[in-house]
Amino acid sequence: MEDLLTPLKMTVISVSTHQQEPSLLQNAAKKTSTAQPPKGYESKKYVTYSNPDEVLEALRSKPQVEELRSALRFLRKQPAEGSFDITDLGPKAAQIINVLVVSIIPDFWDSLVPSEVGNQVQILPVEIKLLLECLTSVTGLGAIVAKLRSLCILYKDGKANIQRLDVTAQLAALHHALSLIVSTPTFLKTLYENAWIKTKDPVKQAGLWRETLAVVSSGKLVSAAIEAEDIIKAEAKEIRQKSSSPLQSGERYSQLLATFTAELALKSNAETEEDLPWRPLAQLLGKAGSIGFRDELFEQFYSRVLLENNRAAWPQFHAVFSKLVMHEQRNALVSMLRTLSKWLPDKIQNWVEDRAWHERESDEIAGIAAVISGIIKHNDVLKDFIVSWLTGNSGGLASGIGIKRTVLAALLPHEDKIQAVLEKTLQDFADKLYIKHAPVLEQEANAQTLLLSAGYINRVFPQFVSNLARSGLYLNGISNRLAASSERSRFLGMIVGTAISELVDKPDKRMNFGLEELENDESKWYRSLIQVQDRIGEIKDLVGRQIERKGVKGKKPMKRKETLAVVPVSAKSKITSIEEVASGSDTEDDLVPYDKPDSDPEDSDDDPTLVRRGKPTAPVYVRDLVTYLRSTDNFDHQRLALLTAPNLIRRKANFGTEVSSHAEELATLLTGLSDKFEIADFAKMRLQGMIAILISQPLKMGQWFAKTFFDGDYSLSQRLSILTTLGLGARELGGLKGEDGDLTGANIPPEALFPSKLLPSKLHKIYAGPSTSLIDSIASQLESTMIQPLAIEAADQLSGPNALKVRTFSSRLAVNAKRTKAIPNALAKVVADGFFFPLTGRWWVQMRTYGDKHVQYTPMVLAHFLKTLALILHASGRATLALTQMTREFWDLLLAIRAEALGAESNVLEALLFAFLTLLDVNEDKRRLADDHARELLETMKWAEMVMAQHRGEEAEGDRVRGLAAGVLVRCQQVVEKYQRLLMGDMVAL
């Protein structure tokens, strides 16, 4: 027992010394230069060094703390002209840095760095500060990143536990060191000065800065740090850096790079300095966009340069922005437009039932227009790009009406550009192929841009609009619109025709179709676009909004104070006398004792400290539900919120405005919610809550979920949950909730899930087999329902002629028993504008912008997306008014990915075949298919034959693909054989 506590050092303190130095005991607790060296290091005397070779030899020979401090001080002393500098690119500096990273940090880190340091560089020991300064260079950062990656590979390939623990310890030390380096306020400034200030040779400057950008702006630091952090967490080792480290997310690291660029630009003079620092800063900003957070990068940059300090530093902004490569300027402008559109309130972005909305000026639109106008002021290339962004299919069409208003307001000083916008939008609006094949979302955006630009031009050059309204292009366009098969295309044609007629014709000669649908709120909103008059404001109009936006973003939900019941006391109450009552009074016999209370199972725990009496209650109001969902660190709040969310939202949906005013906030919280506490049935409860929100506001929330699926910053699993919400929500609105109840668990009684009949959760996941998603399960059921009649018909044909068959007649009672009660289909009213067209329209925008590189094109997400669209189309029913346009858009989308599906994974091919089969099954009017979709029908049939030939002779894996392809082929052949003459005439005409 005496050997358990062995003193490492003994110090005798006299009484006088203790009285003179009362803080000696406090100082002894702090780490000083008397720290003991790691085990295996010999004790050496304090030495000085005169050249880097001696330092390298000393570092390799396991130095003591004093010797290490001397070596680091030699490396960090101010180098003379032509002398050794540890921050330069050279073989000797690389060797020294390699020793520091490989040996010194793993050996000395835990013994010298206090555990409470975190990212606070100020309280680090002197040795660690010197060490970090030596590594704040391109060579040092590259060495740390290379070592982290090699250790990660070694950890994944390691066999022995001892080796894995040693690797984890080294990873923790290097990870903490890298985090401290990046958290230093002068981190980027030091790298910039090493490359451009200290280095005088232009060639060497360019090479050193190129290497700096390769390490700092390419995402290597973030990726290596995150990979190492995951391994450290897997080994349950404490992560020393706090949440303030920029390396914990690419978004915060991108904002760090943008902040440094903005601060250095603001400190420079744009008039006197021609090349420095503008070109290096532009290269840093452009390269940082490749990390993947371009929107956050440029939002931080223009916010710091233009919107802070109540003064817009336009010279500095243009000095950096003009040095960007042209394609980087275009990408930066698109990112700025995307982030600036988030500053606009929802009442500006979406059409509202307010007839006088266009008469009120908006400070947000004026301020954003000032920003955009200042960016493109001296750049003709960006002006032309703005025109193409407004009229093309890159991203402007998918944006809201608010950002279109700001961009057109920014073009007010350039009337020729607005004329170009009007002419280009009119050409697309009148094109037959555009009317037939363009998504409805794109056609609506095109009509909005056309009306806005026509209103601006009419106020400046009314004769130009008058001539345009009488041109053959405009008249043919209106005729093509009115002759279109799509109801929405005809509606837009009538809206544009009446709106332009109000601008150029007299009241008695204006176009009037006399239809009731042209007098509703949406029609009046479209026609009011020609009266919009926005202006270019000033930056100060947006500065105040920025402060409010930051305050709202960082605002935490307020906790409601518990109200205590206060017993009123009479103000005239007065104590008159005090009487003593004897303890043995006879009045005690009249008291009736209370019964012994029943035992409370919640208080039956043996340990009284574990009894919880202040348990939270279930939320009663929607605002309480929002508060519970925001409490991500409270298990009880999270569980209660998930349990009560579906019923509470459905109950409050048609009662007041509680749900409608908090719908988007609830959807955002539920979509981004993570299973931090591993709550039982977490995914099902969260999905039911999201479906409840969708059912409460189908049109509004359907569009919101579709937009969030493409533009939101969510993981793959969260995006899949959005698609599942849209699919199941559409089926519930279509009256098919009862069929999905067995899959979602709504129809399973609690008795059926008796715990003794189930294995433990971990074993159940192993032996239950692979679980399928709800969308896949419903798709399999529909697939069987659609293929089974075809199989019965084929078997009937093979059994012989009909004359030899016996026909059985069912009784009237049996027929009536099989009849199902008609269920109202609420989906048919909102399926086009709320579900289908937002999904297909935004998919085309993403496809044309990013190709097959966007996340929605990954096999798992693409298969889920196609099945969701097929389920929505099937749930909408065969009598939906927008079925014609939905069929056209869906068919074009399916044919666009048929070539890639042949070489993709089997789940994508199965989803594509299922979508084709659903499309052909829902359209009962086969004559219309042969008349309007002859080319698509024949191409689908040929492609199905190709799939059958490609998967012939495969094992069970290809049985489902062959079955689906056979179903599609049979459906196509039925139409072709019946309307062959019509199809041949159509194809000859083509």
Side-chain angles (χ1 to χ4, degrees), residues 918-934:
T918 306
L919 182 68
L920 295 170
D921 182 77
V922 170
N923 287 272
E924 287 184 332
D925 189 357
K926 308 302 180 185
R927 173 62 184 259
R928 183 177 56 81
L929 289 181
D931 194 10
D932 297 340
H933 305 281

Side-chain angles (χ1 to χ4, degrees), residues 17 59 99 142 151 217 387 399 498 673 733 741 777 834 911:
T17 305
L59 294 176
V99 176
L151 288 175
S217 302
V387 173
S399 304
T498 54
L673 197 63
L733 288 172
S777 302

Side-chain angles (χ1 to χ4, degrees), residues 579-597:
E579 297 181 358
E580 182 179 357
V581 181
S583 60
S585 177
D586 297 336
T587 56
E588 292 184 358
D589 299 334
D590 299 334
L591 297 178
V592 179
Y594 288 105
D595 295 334
K596 183 179 180 181

